[in-house]
Amino acid sequence: MPKPSLSPQARRNRLIGVICGVTFLGMVGAAYASVPLYKAFCQLTGFDGAVRRAEVAPDTVLDRKLLVRFDTNIRELPWTFTAEQTSQTVRIGETGLAYFKVTNNGSTAMTGRAMYNVVPESAGAYFQKLECFCFSDQTIPAGKTIEFPVVYFVDPKYASDFETKGKPEVTLSYTFFPSVDAEKASRRADASQAKAPSALGGNTKAGL
């Protein structure tokens, strides 16, 4: 028995439903794809409190001083992460040096990545680093403590920007997370080992 044909209104409703579904999926995909782009944009421009990476220190050092506070956090890692100094007073444009310690309290080596930002957010464009453990993944052996230096400065333009010139202090905050890149590499290595052919032919198996 032939199916009854849809009315123009029903066909229109179905078309609208399909369009809405495709649009929703496209928006979700774009949102996931935009995460690394957004992170790169923030670190390049200092937007949303992200700290910028610098190649050289400024030539100008102002007489005005700034209080820099340090904050440390851990997420999903059996580590102890501390700043060796709670704060420092530096002149704007002057190079500062701060030290941080990370201890792996776990039974195996683990790799983490430190994310960072500055409060207030408006200071992110001017707080810049020359050297930092946050630029790459850090692998800490089991039971070991490693000390990391951070070399930074606050751009002299901080003193003339109407959003920052009246603010006497900033807070540099770090949070260590398990490294996503290290986890992906480990999964790829495990998959490659599982597929590797044995000397007797076929795939290798646990226990053989």
Side-chain angles (χ1 to χ4, degrees), residues 68-97:
V68 180
R69 299 185 185 276
F70 302 99
D71 175 60
T72 56
N73 305 277
I74 292 288
R75 296 288 184 272
E76 301 176 12
L77 285 168
W79 291 4
T80 301
F81 178 33
T82 58
E84 295 191 22
Q85 59 289 300
T86 57
S87 64
Q88 289 180 338
T89 300
V90 296
R91 290 189 296 169
I92 296 177
E94 177 185 17
T95 299
L97 175 63

mmCIF file of all heavy atoms in Angstrom, residues 68-97:
data_model
loop_
_atom_site.group_PDB
_atom_site.id
_atom_site.type_symbol
_atom_site.label_atom_id
_atom_site.label_comp_id
_atom_site.label_asym_id
_atom_site.label_seq_id
_atom_site.Cartn_x
_atom_site.Cartn_y
_atom_site.Cartn_z
ATOM 1 N N VAL A 68 53.810 41.438 42.758
ATOM 2 C CA VAL A 68 53.422 40.248 42.004
ATOM 3 C C VAL A 68 53.206 39.106 42.987
ATOM 4 O O VAL A 68 54.123 38.731 43.736
ATOM 5 C CB VAL A 68 54.503 39.853 40.973
ATOM 6 C CG1 VAL A 68 54.057 38.611 40.201
ATOM 7 C CG2 VAL A 68 54.773 41.000 40.015
ATOM 8 N N ARG A 69 52.007 38.559 43.016
ATOM 9 C CA ARG A 69 51.685 37.411 43.874
ATOM 10 C C ARG A 69 51.683 36.135 43.029
ATOM 11 O O ARG A 69 51.418 36.178 41.829
ATOM 12 C CB ARG A 69 50.327 37.605 44.543
ATOM 13 C CG ARG A 69 50.258 38.837 45.449
ATOM 14 C CD ARG A 69 48.924 38.904 46.181
ATOM 15 N NE ARG A 69 48.796 40.123 46.958
ATOM 16 C CZ ARG A 69 49.296 40.275 48.186
ATOM 17 N NH1 ARG A 69 49.950 39.269 48.759
ATOM 18 N NH2 ARG A 69 49.142 41.416 48.833
ATOM 19 N N PHE A 70 51.944 34.999 43.695
ATOM 20 C CA PHE A 70 52.019 33.724 42.993
ATOM 21 C C PHE A 70 51.033 32.727 43.613
ATOM 22 O O PHE A 70 50.958 32.593 44.841
ATOM 23 C CB PHE A 70 53.437 33.167 43.052
ATOM 24 C CG PHE A 70 54.466 34.096 42.477
ATOM 25 C CD1 PHE A 70 55.238 34.899 43.313
ATOM 26 C CD2 PHE A 70 54.646 34.187 41.104
ATOM 27 C CE1 PHE A 70 56.182 35.771 42.789
ATOM 28 C CE2 PHE A 70 55.585 35.058 40.567
ATOM 29 C CZ PHE A 70 56.351 35.856 41.418
ATOM 30 N N ASP A 71 50.321 32.033 42.730
ATOM 31 C CA ASP A 71 49.301 31.070 43.156
ATOM 32 C C ASP A 71 49.542 29.748 42.436
ATOM 33 O O ASP A 71 49.821 29.740 41.226
ATOM 34 C CB ASP A 71 47.901 31.614 42.836
ATOM 35 C CG ASP A 71 46.813 30.614 43.140
ATOM 36 O OD1 ASP A 71 46.686 30.204 44.304
ATOM 37 O OD2 ASP A 71 46.089 30.228 42.201
ATOM 38 N N THR A 72 49.457 28.620 43.153
ATOM 39 C CA THR A 72 49.712 27.307 42.558
ATOM 40 C C THR A 72 48.574 26.352 42.864
ATOM 41 O O THR A 72 48.007 26.357 43.973
ATOM 42 C CB THR A 72 51.025 26.710 43.090
ATOM 43 O OG1 THR A 72 50.980 26.651 44.533
ATOM 44 C CG2 THR A 72 52.228 27.551 42.659
ATOM 45 N N ASN A 73 48.238 25.515 41.882
ATOM 46 C CA ASN A 73 47.131 24.569 42.017
ATOM 47 C C ASN A 73 47.460 23.270 41.275
ATOM 48 O O ASN A 73 48.264 23.262 40.337
ATOM 49 C CB ASN A 73 45.839 25.155 41.433
ATOM 50 C CG ASN A 73 45.487 26.502 42.041
ATOM 51 O OD1 ASN A 73 44.891 26.586 43.095
ATOM 52 N ND2 ASN A 73 45.893 27.578 41.365
ATOM 53 N N ILE A 74 46.819 22.177 41.690
ATOM 54 C CA ILE A 74 46.981 20.855 41.069
ATOM 55 C C ILE A 74 45.606 20.280 40.764
ATOM 56 O O ILE A 74 44.690 20.387 41.579
ATOM 57 C CB ILE A 74 47.736 19.889 42.003
ATOM 58 C CG1 ILE A 74 49.193 20.314 42.167
ATOM 59 C CG2 ILE A 74 47.670 18.458 41.485
ATOM 60 C CD1 ILE A 74 50.041 20.089 40.941
ATOM 61 N N ARG A 75 45.472 19.668 39.598
ATOM 62 C CA ARG A 75 44.235 18.979 39.232
ATOM 63 C C ARG A 75 44.563 17.574 38.721
ATOM 64 O O ARG A 75 45.313 17.424 37.760
ATOM 65 C CB ARG A 75 43.472 19.757 38.134
ATOM 66 C CG ARG A 75 42.987 21.132 38.549
ATOM 67 C CD ARG A 75 41.834 21.050 39.526
ATOM 68 N NE ARG A 75 41.309 22.376 39.836
ATOM 69 C CZ ARG A 75 41.753 23.157 40.798
ATOM 70 N NH1 ARG A 75 42.755 22.736 41.560
ATOM 71 N NH2 ARG A 75 41.225 24.346 41.016
ATOM 72 N N GLU A 76 44.023 16.558 39.385
ATOM 73 C CA GLU A 76 44.077 15.161 38.935
ATOM 74 C C GLU A 76 45.514 14.626 38.826
ATOM 75 O O GLU A 76 45.797 13.759 38.002
ATOM 76 C CB GLU A 76 43.353 14.994 37.597
ATOM 77 C CG GLU A 76 41.888 15.413 37.650
ATOM 78 C CD GLU A 76 41.220 15.319 36.294
ATOM 79 O OE1 GLU A 76 41.814 14.727 35.380
ATOM 80 O OE2 GLU A 76 40.096 15.835 36.167
ATOM 81 N N LEU A 77 46.410 15.123 39.646
ATOM 82 C CA LEU A 77 47.789 14.622 39.696
ATOM 83 C C LEU A 77 48.199 14.456 41.154
ATOM 84 O O LEU A 77 47.893 15.330 41.984
ATOM 85 C CB LEU A 77 48.754 15.594 39.004
ATOM 86 C CG LEU A 77 48.751 15.636 37.473
ATOM 87 C CD1 LEU A 77 49.545 16.838 36.987
ATOM 88 C CD2 LEU A 77 49.327 14.351 36.886
ATOM 89 N N PRO A 78 48.907 13.365 41.497
ATOM 90 C CA PRO A 78 49.366 13.172 42.884
ATOM 91 C C PRO A 78 50.645 13.952 43.158
ATOM 92 O O PRO A 78 51.665 13.401 43.580
ATOM 93 C CB PRO A 78 49.590 11.650 42.957
ATOM 94 C CG PRO A 78 50.034 11.289 41.569
ATOM 95 C CD PRO A 78 49.250 12.193 40.645
ATOM 96 N N TRP A 79 50.611 15.233 42.888
ATOM 97 C CA TRP A 79 51.777 16.096 43.004
ATOM 98 C C TRP A 79 51.573 17.134 44.104
ATOM 99 O O TRP A 79 50.440 17.480 44.466
ATOM 100 C CB TRP A 79 52.041 16.832 41.694
ATOM 101 C CG TRP A 79 52.507 15.970 40.554
ATOM 102 C CD1 TRP A 79 52.637 14.602 40.553
ATOM 103 C CD2 TRP A 79 52.898 16.415 39.260
ATOM 104 N NE1 TRP A 79 53.092 14.169 39.339
ATOM 105 C CE2 TRP A 79 53.263 15.261 38.515
ATOM 106 C CE3 TRP A 79 52.984 17.649 38.655
ATOM 107 C CZ2 TRP A 79 53.700 15.325 37.197
ATOM 108 C CZ3 TRP A 79 53.407 17.728 37.335
ATOM 109 C CH2 TRP A 79 53.771 16.573 36.623
ATOM 110 N N THR A 80 52.688 17.638 44.605
ATOM 111 C CA THR A 80 52.696 18.815 45.467
ATOM 112 C C THR A 80 53.381 19.933 44.688
ATOM 113 O O THR A 80 54.510 19.769 44.223
ATOM 114 C CB THR A 80 53.456 18.547 46.778
ATOM 115 O OG1 THR A 80 52.831 17.463 47.472
ATOM 116 C CG2 THR A 80 53.432 19.786 47.665
ATOM 117 N N PHE A 81 52.698 21.052 44.561
ATOM 118 C CA PHE A 81 53.165 22.153 43.715
ATOM 119 C C PHE A 81 53.133 23.431 44.539
ATOM 120 O O PHE A 81 52.075 23.844 45.017
ATOM 121 C CB PHE A 81 52.256 22.254 42.495
ATOM 122 C CG PHE A 81 52.577 23.376 41.546
ATOM 123 C CD1 PHE A 81 53.874 23.801 41.335
ATOM 124 C CD2 PHE A 81 51.553 24.002 40.835
ATOM 125 C CE1 PHE A 81 54.177 24.827 40.455
ATOM 126 C CE2 PHE A 81 51.823 25.022 39.937
ATOM 127 C CZ PHE A 81 53.134 25.436 39.757
ATOM 128 N N THR A 82 54.298 24.039 44.741
ATOM 129 C CA THR A 82 54.376 25.238 45.579
ATOM 130 C C THR A 82 55.270 26.294 44.941
ATOM 131 O O THR A 82 56.176 25.981 44.160
ATOM 132 C CB THR A 82 54.942 24.906 46.971
ATOM 133 O OG1 THR A 82 56.239 24.322 46.826
ATOM 134 C CG2 THR A 82 54.031 23.946 47.724
ATOM 135 N N ALA A 83 55.008 27.530 45.297
ATOM 136 C CA ALA A 83 55.881 28.647 44.919
ATOM 137 C C ALA A 83 56.825 28.903 46.081
ATOM 138 O O ALA A 83 56.395 28.942 47.241
ATOM 139 C CB ALA A 83 55.058 29.889 44.614
ATOM 140 N N GLU A 84 58.117 29.077 45.806
ATOM 141 C CA GLU A 84 59.081 29.302 46.869
ATOM 142 C C GLU A 84 58.970 30.696 47.454
ATOM 143 O O GLU A 84 59.567 30.982 48.501
ATOM 144 C CB GLU A 84 60.495 29.035 46.360
ATOM 145 C CG GLU A 84 60.732 27.575 45.989
ATOM 146 C CD GLU A 84 62.192 27.278 45.741
ATOM 147 O OE1 GLU A 84 63.070 28.027 46.229
ATOM 148 O OE2 GLU A 84 62.463 26.283 45.054
ATOM 149 N N GLN A 85 58.232 31.568 46.795
ATOM 150 C CA GLN A 85 57.961 32.901 47.301
ATOM 151 C C GLN A 85 56.489 33.189 47.074
ATOM 152 O O GLN A 85 55.937 32.855 46.031
ATOM 153 C CB GLN A 85 58.826 33.967 46.620
ATOM 154 C CG GLN A 85 58.651 34.050 45.106
ATOM 155 C CD GLN A 85 59.230 32.873 44.361
ATOM 156 O OE1 GLN A 85 60.417 32.627 44.443
ATOM 157 N NE2 GLN A 85 58.409 32.129 43.640
ATOM 158 N N THR A 86 55.836 33.753 48.068
ATOM 159 C CA THR A 86 54.411 34.059 47.913
ATOM 160 C C THR A 86 54.199 35.310 47.077
ATOM 161 O O THR A 86 53.167 35.458 46.427
ATOM 162 C CB THR A 86 53.737 34.238 49.282
ATOM 163 O OG1 THR A 86 54.413 35.280 50.002
ATOM 164 C CG2 THR A 86 53.803 32.954 50.087
ATOM 165 N N SER A 87 55.192 36.207 47.088
ATOM 166 C CA SER A 87 55.068 37.442 46.309
ATOM 167 C C SER A 87 56.448 38.050 46.091
ATOM 168 O O SER A 87 57.418 37.704 46.773
ATOM 169 C CB SER A 87 54.155 38.448 47.016
ATOM 170 O OG SER A 87 54.726 38.851 48.245
ATOM 171 N N GLN A 88 56.535 38.960 45.139
ATOM 172 C CA GLN A 88 57.745 39.720 44.852
ATOM 173 C C GLN A 88 57.346 41.143 44.483
ATOM 174 O O GLN A 88 56.292 41.357 43.886
ATOM 175 C CB GLN A 88 58.529 39.102 43.686
ATOM 176 C CG GLN A 88 59.204 37.787 43.990
ATOM 177 C CD GLN A 88 59.966 37.229 42.802
ATOM 178 O OE1 GLN A 88 59.695 37.573 41.653
ATOM 179 N NE2 GLN A 88 60.934 36.367 43.068
ATOM 180 N N THR A 89 58.209 42.086 44.814
ATOM 181 C CA THR A 89 58.014 43.468 44.382
ATOM 182 C C THR A 89 59.054 43.789 43.322
ATOM 183 O O THR A 89 60.265 43.675 43.574
ATOM 184 C CB THR A 89 58.146 44.441 45.567
ATOM 185 O OG1 THR A 89 57.152 44.132 46.555
ATOM 186 C CG2 THR A 89 57.942 45.876 45.096
ATOM 187 N N VAL A 90 58.588 44.142 42.146
ATOM 188 C CA VAL A 90 59.496 44.453 41.038
ATOM 189 C C VAL A 90 59.106 45.802 40.438
ATOM 190 O O VAL A 90 57.965 46.248 40.559
ATOM 191 C CB VAL A 90 59.441 43.368 39.933
ATOM 192 C CG1 VAL A 90 59.927 42.029 40.455
ATOM 193 C CG2 VAL A 90 58.031 43.245 39.369
ATOM 194 N N ARG A 91 60.070 46.427 39.791
ATOM 195 C CA ARG A 91 59.762 47.648 39.056
ATOM 196 C C ARG A 91 59.213 47.283 37.682
ATOM 197 O O ARG A 91 59.602 46.259 37.095
ATOM 198 C CB ARG A 91 61.007 48.511 38.905
ATOM 199 C CG ARG A 91 61.470 49.136 40.211
ATOM 200 C CD ARG A 91 62.571 50.155 39.989
ATOM 201 N NE ARG A 91 63.776 49.539 39.444
ATOM 202 C CZ ARG A 91 64.802 50.233 38.961
ATOM 203 N NH1 ARG A 91 64.761 51.564 38.931
ATOM 204 N NH2 ARG A 91 65.865 49.613 38.489
ATOM 205 N N ILE A 92 58.320 48.075 37.173
ATOM 206 C CA ILE A 92 57.722 47.807 35.871
ATOM 207 C C ILE A 92 58.798 47.903 34.793
ATOM 208 O O ILE A 92 59.510 48.903 34.699
ATOM 209 C CB ILE A 92 56.576 48.794 35.587
ATOM 210 C CG1 ILE A 92 55.446 48.575 36.602
ATOM 211 C CG2 ILE A 92 56.047 48.613 34.164
ATOM 212 C CD1 ILE A 92 54.297 49.538 36.459
ATOM 213 N N GLY A 93 58.944 46.851 34.000
ATOM 214 C CA GLY A 93 59.987 46.765 32.994
ATOM 215 C C GLY A 93 61.201 45.982 33.458
ATOM 216 O O GLY A 93 62.027 45.561 32.648
ATOM 217 N N GLU A 94 61.321 45.761 34.767
ATOM 218 C CA GLU A 94 62.440 45.018 35.334
ATOM 219 C C GLU A 94 62.194 43.515 35.209
ATOM 220 O O GLU A 94 61.055 43.041 35.325
ATOM 221 C CB GLU A 94 62.600 45.398 36.809
ATOM 222 C CG GLU A 94 63.697 44.650 37.544
ATOM 223 C CD GLU A 94 63.724 44.988 39.018
ATOM 224 O OE1 GLU A 94 62.720 45.542 39.523
ATOM 225 O OE2 GLU A 94 64.737 44.704 39.671
ATOM 226 N N THR A 95 63.260 42.744 34.991
ATOM 227 C CA THR A 95 63.142 41.288 34.894
ATOM 228 C C THR A 95 63.095 40.682 36.290
ATOM 229 O O THR A 95 63.963 40.963 37.128
ATOM 230 C CB THR A 95 64.326 40.691 34.110
ATOM 231 O OG1 THR A 95 64.322 41.219 32.778
ATOM 232 C CG2 THR A 95 64.207 39.181 34.033
ATOM 233 N N GLY A 96 62.087 39.862 36.534
ATOM 234 C CA GLY A 96 61.943 39.185 37.817
ATOM 235 C C GLY A 96 62.250 37.704 37.673
ATOM 236 O O GLY A 96 62.116 37.125 36.580
ATOM 237 N N LEU A 97 62.650 37.076 38.766
ATOM 238 C CA LEU A 97 62.976 35.651 38.784
ATOM 239 C C LEU A 97 62.264 35.002 39.960
ATOM 240 O O LEU A 97 62.493 35.381 41.124
ATOM 241 C CB LEU A 97 64.484 35.438 38.895
ATOM 242 C CG LEU A 97 64.982 33.998 39.053
ATOM 243 C CD1 LEU A 97 64.614 33.162 37.832
ATOM 244 C CD2 LEU A 97 66.490 33.972 39.290
#
